[in-house]
Amino acid sequence: MKRIVVLIGGSGSNLEAILQAIQKNHLPLTCAKVISHKPDVLGLKRAQRYQVPTQVIDHLSFAIQDDFEQALIKAIHEVSPDWIVLAGFMRILSSHFIAQFPDKIINIHPSLLPKFRGLNTHKRAIEAQENFHGATVHLVTPELDAGPIIAQARLTMNQDDTPQTLQSRVLSLEHKLYPLVLNWLALGRLTLKDNSILFEEKPIPKQGFMIELNSQEIAS
Ligand code: GRF
């Protein structure tokens, strides 16, 4: 069975969606460890509920970013994961870190990249009067939120959407999208190689796959 490590820093609702899919035998993976860069976050409790080993590497206890990353690298190597899954991990990782794990780090971002890299994506989508908004799973490269896109899921923006309603609607998409992409990886349908993405051995579309999730199931 292939192994993942999930890196979190907060609520861990994506982590829970992944652990639930594993528990229900919908996702043939082992989650070897959950690492949080913040102590006492809800995500750690969620991991414990699923009997997944947890580790806190508190970024605030390191004066130097390099030392924080070295501790992280060591903690990850200890469990030799096939993939490193970022799920609300709110630290920017250096190119040195990323080079330790080529083609192995994936992230979920709450916007339809390349739109709205960085923070406050929901507020910015409303301000830009977008018709669509959503979430993206991508390969992590040194440029923030700019790695090759694997897949996206979208919703139609409502007139009365606020950053809060969008956050919860987009999270509902994320909770389906991330396990789906991980399932492709686990089954060997999706391959990450030399910074590019192959699906059943063929290059995927440049913008990744647009997954149409049943909008009825997305609370609005
Ligand atoms: C999600 O919106 C994800 O896209 C972003 O951080 C948030 C994490 O939420 N990277 P959670 O901790 O999984 O609930």
Side-chain angles (χ1 to χ4, degrees):
M1 189 94 92
K2 300 280 191 185
R3 298 150 66 76
I4 55 170
V5 164
V6 183
L7 270 50
I8 63 165
S11 141
S13 68
N14 277 287
L15 167 71
E16 176 136 25
I18 293 164
L19 296 178
Q20 232 169 51
I22 292 174
Q23 193 180 55
K24 289 183 179 163
N25 293 327
H26 294 163
L27 185 53
L29 283 176
T30 301
C31 181
K33 194 193 269 193
V34 168
I35 303 174
S36 175
H37 68 83
K38 263 189 176 180
D40 305 322
V41 292
L42 177 58
L44 287 165
K45 295 198 182 68
R46 297 197 206 240
Q48 284 151 10
R49 262 189 248 134
Y50 288 81
Q51 275 94 45
V52 175
T54 57
Q55 186 170 352
V56 174
I57 303 183
D58 183 352
H59 68 278
L60 293 177
S61 66
F62 296 86
I64 302 171
Q65 162 90 358
D66 265 11
D67 293 347
F68 167 66
E69 288 195 349
Q70 275 313 118
L72 206 52
I73 290 168
K74 183 168 172 282
I76 293 170
H77 278 316
E78 272 166 18
V79 287
S80 315
D82 294 279
W83 299 288
I84 298 156
V85 177
L86 307 186
F89 184 80
M90 301 300 284
R91 307 306 299 163
I92 293 176
L93 296 166
S94 71
S95 44
H96 168 76
F97 178 93
I98 292 163
Q100 305 296 308
F101 307 102
D103 298 315
K104 284 191 169 201
I105 313 174
I106 61 171
N107 182 41
I108 191 157
H109 180 78
S111 79
L112 295 173
L113 290 171
K115 288 184 176 173
F116 313 120
R117 294 176 184 165
L119 299 174
N120 301 320
T121 56
H122 307 311
K123 181 166 174 279
R124 287 155 64 204
I126 292 170
E127 282 166 1
Q129 301 186 327
E130 294 290 328
N131 292 321
F132 297 105
H133 187 44
T136 303
V137 176
H138 66 96
L139 187 55
V140 173
T141 57
E143 197 184 342
L144 184 67
D145 300 330
I149 293 173
I150 301 172
Q152 302 187 308
R154 69 179 169 188
L155 49 74
T156 307
M157 300 258 287
N158 296 333
Q159 282 295 327
D160 56 356
D161 263 320
T162 63
Q164 289 71 33
T165 62
L166 280 182
Q167 185 186 16
S168 95
R169 296 174 68 213
V170 170
L171 271 176
S172 305
L173 293 176
E174 294 183 29
H175 298 162
K176 297 201 173 81
L177 182 64
Y178 225 176
L180 179 73
V181 170
L182 286 168
N183 194 44
W184 291 342
L185 279 172
L187 297 177
R189 300 179 77 189
L190 189 71
T191 317
L192 311 176
K193 201 171 162 219
D194 302 330
N195 254 348
S196 62
I197 298 153
L198 303 174
F199 190 79
E200 294 176 345
E201 282 155 42
K202 293 188 198 75
I204 68 166
K206 194 172 177 305
Q207 265 306 102
F209 293 113
M210 179 58 75
I211 309 295
E212 297 297 341
L213 296 170
N214 183 355
S215 56
Q216 297 308 311
E217 292 174 31
I218 310 300
S220 60

